[in-house]
Each structure stands twice: as structure tokens, then as C-alpha cells.
Amino acid sequence: MGGDLILKLVSEHGPWVLLVFYLLYRDLQKDQATRAVLDKNSSILIEITTIIRERLPAGGGRER
């Protein structure tokens, strides 16, 4: 978006346009933070799964 378009929107519609852009920006930040936490949790779960698999017997514990 060009600066002229933003200035035109602000001059025609007032501070509501700025509020909408601000809320969209904050929503994007929230989504990025959520994604970062989910990525970290996934990597931790992968590490835990790997450790558990390494410590289990070769048959996976299903030996009779």
C-alpha cells in the first residue's frame, strides 16, 4: 500500500482506519507468538519421543 492511499483513507474516515490497521497488526503479532510457542512445543515433544524410543527395548515392549 502506498503512503498516499493511507493518507487518503485517514483523511476520509478519520482515526477508525488507524485503529483497524493497529488491530490487524496486533492480531498478526499474536499469531506469530502463538506459532513460535507451538513450534517450540513441537520440538520439545520430538526430543522427548526420541529419548523414550532410545530407552525402550528393541521390541518396543511387546515381547511375550
Side-chain angles (χ1 to χ4, degrees):
M1 280 167 106
D4 294 335
L5 178 62
I6 293 175
L7 289 176
K8 182 179 176 187
L9 287 172
V10 169
S11 65
E12 289 179 10
H13 301 288
W16 296 107
V17 174
L18 294 176
L19 178 63
V20 168
F21 281 112
Y22 175 74
L23 291 175
L24 287 172
Y25 174 71
R26 293 295 294 168
D27 190 50
L28 175 65
Q29 285 183 326
K30 180 179 146 187
D31 288 346
Q32 289 173 339
T34 302
R35 184 169 304 278
V37 168
L38 289 174
D39 288 344
K40 181 69 175 172
N41 286 346
S42 295
S43 65
I44 290 171
L45 287 174
I46 290 170
E47 289 179 26
I48 291 171
T49 303
T50 304
I51 291 170
I52 290 172
R53 284 185 180 162
E54 288 173 351
R55 293 184 182 188
L56 283 177
R62 295 189 213 166
E63 299 174 6
R64 292 183 182 198

